[in-house]
């Protein structure tokens, strides 16, 4: 007689154990971490400052978070509401849209990404710039020929002044 057979107690215990384990994992929740999101649209090359960032909590591992936003700039345009991830920030200051690269003699303190001021000696003009790359220093003068990005409107004047030796590059310490 089949109905007098022994009930499958071990199967019932195993099923209950699986259900309890699944419920415990579901109720435990997932670890949440704060992630920076753009509070406003951040243009390429703009520094990422605290007022342009809003922090939201998301599940850990779902968004790659940059290590540190201190001193970071936007490598691309970041729309309002987009997460600020490691791939959209940079430590180097990128060249703004529409700027041109001009070869100039740089002093020994200039490094890639530094903001500089270019003084055109005869014209009494000051033009902002960003060091794109530095070359090897000259043995006699300790200066190096590097590239500096300047606004398009000033590129011709800066190039002519650099070629004629009428250009002074100021680098912040």
């Amino acid at each position: 007689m089949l109905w007098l057979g022994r009930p499958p107690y071990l199967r019932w215990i195993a099923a209950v154990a699986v259900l309890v384990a699944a419920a415990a994992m579901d109720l435990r929740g997932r670890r949440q971490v704060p992630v920076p999101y753009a509070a406003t649209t951040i243009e390429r090359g703009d520094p990422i400052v605290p007022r342009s960032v809003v922090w939201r909590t998301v599940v850990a591992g779902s968004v790659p978070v940059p290590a540190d936003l201190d001193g970071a700039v936007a490598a691309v345009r970041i729309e309002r509401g987009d997460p600020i991830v490691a791939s959209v920030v940079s430590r180097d200051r990128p060249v703004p849209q529409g700027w041109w690269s001009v070869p100039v003699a740089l002093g020994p303190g200039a490094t890639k990404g530094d903001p500089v001021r270019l003084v055109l000696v005869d014209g009494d003009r000051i033009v902002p710039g960003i060091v794109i790359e530095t070359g090897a220093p000259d043995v006699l003068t300790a200066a190096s020929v590097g590239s500096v990005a300047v606004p398009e409107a000033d590129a011709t004047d800066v190039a002519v002044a650099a070629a004629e030796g009428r250009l002074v590059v100021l680098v912040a310490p």
Side-chain angles (χ1 to χ4, degrees):
M1 297 203 182
L2 208 50
W3 55 278
L4 293 176
R6 195 167 178 195
Y9 292 121
L10 291 178
R11 287 187 200 161
W12 292 349
I13 291 172
V16 169
V18 168
L19 287 174
V20 169
M25 289 174 64
D26 192 41
L27 294 175
R28 181 183 66 188
R30 296 184 179 148
R31 190 169 64 97
Q32 302 278 319
V33 294
V35 173
Y37 281 79
T40 61
T41 299
I42 305 170
E43 295 296 328
R44 177 179 175 233
D46 288 348
I48 298 176
V49 294
R51 65 180 155 78
S52 64
V53 175
V54 62
W55 292 86
R56 298 180 187 159
T57 56
V58 298
V59 176
S62 62
V63 177
V65 182
D68 186 19
L69 292 179
D70 196 27
V73 295
V76 296
R77 179 185 166 105
I78 305 171
E79 295 293 329
R80 181 177 183 255
D82 286 350
I84 301 175
V85 295
S87 61
V88 299
V89 297
S90 173
R91 296 287 171 228
D92 296 332
R93 187 176 171 104
V95 179
Q97 198 85 21
W99 283 33
W100 289 70
S101 174
V102 178
V104 297
L106 297 170
T111 59
K112 181 179 177 181
D114 283 347
V116 293
R117 292 184 183 157
L118 306 172
V119 180
L120 283 70
V121 176
D122 294 342
D124 290 332
R125 284 182 39 209
I126 298 175
V127 176
I130 299 170
V131 177
I132 298 173
E133 55 183 84
T134 59
D138 183 9
V139 178
L140 299 175
T141 63
S144 64
V145 175
S147 295
V148 174
V150 295
E152 182 178 7
D154 300 313
T156 305
D157 295 336
V158 170
V160 170
E164 294 176 353
R166 299 181 294 112
L167 182 71
V168 177
V169 180
L170 305 177
V171 181

